[in-house]
Amino acid sequence: KEIEAVRRIILGVRPTIREGIKWNAPSFQTEKHYFATFNFRARESVQLILHLGAKVRLHQKSLKIADPRGLLKWLGKDRALVTLGAGRDIPANRAAFEAIVRAWIKHV
């Protein structure tokens, strides 16, 4: 139920976002590249990995994404773990998560 809610949030950010399977998990892509993949290792909350596609960008500068609710944990210059919580946390974090996705896909 929570994963489906997050899926709808992502797909609602932009009509051109599509779904697929990447790295054995549901993933989302823009017209060009994948940018988000569910992290099913987490059991207590819904998590996604935000990335800039499969290819390494050697000269990638650190991304600057506003995160007033503290949803992001940076894993590298081009990757972050988003923790959206569970239950009521999902709708409570919706607006912040939508803003993060909008900002992220500008870099993809």
Side-chain angles (χ1 to χ4, degrees), residues 16-20 27-36:
T16 56
I17 293 174
R18 297 185 316 257
E19 293 178 273
S27 299
F28 301 89
Q29 68 183 92
T30 62
E31 300 83 10
K32 297 179 182 180
H33 302 287
Y34 282 94
F35 68 89

Side-chain angles (χ1 to χ4, degrees), residues 12-64:
V13 167
R14 183 187 282 180
T16 56
I17 293 174
R18 297 185 316 257
E19 293 178 273
I21 301 295
K22 194 77 169 168
W23 301 293
N24 296 317
S27 299
F28 301 89
Q29 68 183 92
T30 62
E31 300 83 10
K32 297 179 182 180
H33 302 287
Y34 282 94
F35 68 89
T37 302
F38 275 103
N39 175 22
F40 289 138
R41 291 183 187 143
R43 299 287 183 218
E44 302 299 318
S45 64
V46 176
Q47 293 184 334
L48 291 105
I49 302 291
L50 296 179
H51 49 81
L52 299 178
K55 294 182 181 179
V56 175
R57 298 180 183 188
L58 296 176
H59 303 291
Q60 178 66 45
K61 295 180 181 179
S62 295
L63 299 180
K64 297 194 185 322

Side-chain angles (χ1 to χ4, degrees), residues 64-83:
K64 297 194 185 322
I65 305 290
D67 182 23
R69 293 189 63 100
L71 302 177
L72 295 176
K73 176 183 176 187
W74 288 93
L75 304 173
K77 292 179 180 181
D78 61 349
R79 292 179 298 127
L81 175 69
V82 179
T83 301

